[in-house]
């Protein structure tokens, strides 16, 4: 996994996404404050039952209790994703597609003791994540690269597991699944957690379009994931609708002074059924 890749930013859209995440640090208190709890920085949402007692008790420490609880739920989400990779051995290699500030990759290296490569088109994120891996003591086995997950430059069949933790809404799914299928060895596993538009409710709701506008992404329909996997020899082995498990996270987030406003369209679209929080695990055949 040492191939040098040419400039990973190929389109104006990709350059705009990279610029968003490179400039995001100036206005990103929600992710940096949560990451400061234990040095694991996430760019995804949470699942599980919140401890609502954090909302009670002394007012002067309530916001701090909220930060810790939101972070715990986001870490639980990453743990669930990693649970679905299957039996990973220390000699295996894993790939994180759109690795953000590195949280899920660092957790994977700590859990499995194996090599993990993360790719991001944000140079700021790559540098942040590499520094974070060093601080967490796993820099010997976790590397973050300024590369495009659609065209990683890594060797075909070299990877035992790949995941995307809420990053697929920035890319064409056919291109992405083709690259992941190329990288995975036969029997390798791809795990995706994503938010997707529900085909059953028809076209994109206004709330889902609001989420697109907030992050500058292009949320796909649920059916597009399965079509792209089927076209690229990726056979789903587990599909879980995490929507009921993530709604309490968003409810709790509305109480945080770090709330960004995007809580409203998430709660609206999850509750009206137009948006779903999905985990898909698929095997390469
Ligand atoms: C951001 O997480 C995640 C995305 C931009 C992808 C969009 C996800 C969907 C499920 C539609 P973040 O942790 O950077 O966002 P925030 O700053 O709101 O916490
Ligand atoms: Mg966040």
């Amino acid at each position: 996994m040492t191939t040098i890749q040419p400039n990973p930013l190929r389109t104006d859209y990709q350059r705009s996404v990279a610029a968003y995440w490179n400039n995001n640090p100036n206005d990103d208190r929600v992710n940096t404050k949560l990451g400061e709890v234990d040095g694991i920085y996430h760019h995804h949402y949470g699942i599980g039952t919140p401890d609502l007692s954090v909302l009670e008790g002394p007012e002067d420490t309530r916001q701090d209790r909220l930060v810790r609880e939101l972070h715990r739920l986001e870490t639980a989400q990453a743990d669930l994703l990693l649970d679905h990779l299957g039996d990973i051995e220390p000699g295996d290699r894993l790939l994180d597609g759109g690795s953000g500030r590195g949280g899920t990759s660092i957790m994977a290296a700590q859990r499995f003791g194996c090599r993990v490569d993360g790719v991001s088109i944000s140079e700021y994120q790559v540098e942040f994540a590499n520094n974070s891996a060093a601080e967490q003591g796993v820099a010997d086995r976790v590397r973050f690269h300024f590369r495009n997950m659609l065209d990683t430059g890594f060797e075909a069949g070299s990877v035992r597991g790949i995941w995307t933790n809420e990053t697929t809404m920035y890319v064409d799914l056919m291109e992405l699944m083709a690259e992941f299928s190329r990288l995975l060895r036969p029997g390798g596993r791809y795990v995706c957690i994503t938010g997707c538009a529900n085909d059953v409710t028809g076209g994109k709701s206004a709330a889902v379009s609001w989420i697109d506008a907030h992050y500058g992404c292009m949320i796909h329909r649920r059916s597009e994931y399965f079509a792209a996997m089927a076209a690229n020899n990726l056979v789903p082995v587990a599909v879980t609708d995490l929507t009921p498990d993530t709604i309490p996270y968003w409810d709790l987030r509305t109480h945080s002074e770090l709330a960004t406003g995007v809580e409203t369209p998430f709660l609206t679209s999850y509750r009206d059924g137009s948006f779903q929080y999905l985990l898909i695990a698929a095997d390469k055949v």
Side-chain angles (χ1 to χ4, degrees):
M1 292 207 178
T2 51
T3 325
I4 301 298
Q5 199 203 21
N7 185 0
L9 301 174
R10 295 185 305 192
T11 65
D12 286 344
Y13 175 68
Q14 290 172 4
R15 279 184 281 277
S16 76
V17 172
Y20 177 97
W21 292 104
N22 284 334
N23 297 324
N24 186 244
N26 304 321
D27 183 28
D28 193 19
R29 288 181 67 231
V30 64
N31 298 310
T32 50
K33 288 286 169 205
L34 269 58
E36 283 164 13
V37 168
D38 61 3
I40 300 290
Y41 289 80
H42 298 305
H43 276 287
H44 58 260
Y45 314 121
I47 56 164
T49 307
D51 176 2
L52 294 178
S53 73
V54 299
L55 297 171
E56 296 152 15
E59 205 164 316
D60 57 338
T61 52
R62 180 175 304 142
Q63 289 301 326
D64 183 55
R65 290 194 300 278
L66 262 167
V67 162
R68 289 171 183 279
E69 188 59 5
L70 289 168
H71 184 66
R72 185 182 71 77
L73 299 175
E74 292 187 1
T75 297
Q77 187 266 26
D79 267 325
L80 182 80
L81 187 157
L82 297 176
D83 288 344
H84 284 79
L85 282 170
D87 294 326
I88 304 298
E89 305 287 333
D92 288 331
R93 283 185 160 180
L94 299 174
L95 177 74
D96 182 352
S99 41
R101 286 187 168 99
T104 310
S105 284
I106 291 167
M107 286 172 60
Q110 288 169 340
R111 184 196 288 209
F112 302 119
C114 70
R115 170 76 190 244
V116 183
D117 289 280
V119 296
S120 168
I121 59 171
S122 160
E123 288 173 280
Y124 164 82
Q125 286 188 332
V126 169
E127 188 187 350
F128 188 103
N130 277 321
N131 290 337
S132 184
E135 275 162 28
Q136 296 296 313
V138 291
D140 58 327
R141 51 189 188 277
V142 185
R143 294 282 150 70
F144 296 96
H145 312 261
F146 178 46
R147 294 188 185 212
N148 191 321
M149 65 177 170
L150 295 176
D151 178 19
T152 60
F154 294 141
E155 196 184 326
S158 61
V159 175
R160 167 69 182 78
I162 301 178
W163 69 84
T164 49
N165 201 348
E166 300 180 12
T167 62
T168 48
M169 55 290 296
Y170 288 104
V171 296
D172 179 278
L173 292 180
M174 282 291 175
E175 277 187 67
L176 185 72
M177 299 306 162
E179 175 65 353
F180 288 176
S181 186
R182 187 187 73 78
L183 290 169
L184 283 169
R185 72 176 203 215
R189 173 77 53 85
Y190 168 52
V191 181
C192 171
I193 293 186
T194 191
C196 57
N198 186 0
D199 302 80
V200 175
T201 56
K204 236 179 220 188
S205 67
V208 173
S209 297
W210 178 350
I211 299 169
D212 271 346
H214 180 90
Y215 294 110
C217 64
M218 301 178 292
I219 290 166
H220 304 293
R221 283 176 289 129
R222 173 158 43 112
S223 57
E224 294 178 71
Y225 284 89
F226 298 98
M229 287 179 185
N232 288 287
N233 298 324
L234 294 167
V235 180
V237 63
V239 180
T240 310
D241 182 359
L242 297 173
T243 310
D245 296 318
T246 193
I247 287 176
Y249 162 87
W250 286 101
D251 265 331
L252 191 66
R253 197 167 134 151
T254 63
H255 295 275
S256 171
E257 66 179 13
L258 303 172
T260 62
V262 81
E263 295 77 19
T264 303
F266 270 94
L267 284 166
T268 302
S269 58
Y270 282 148
R271 288 194 170 122
D272 72 17
S274 61
F275 193 46
Q276 295 176 304
Y277 197 47
L278 215 64
L279 180 148
I280 308 167
D283 289 331
K284 161 74 186 294
V285 297

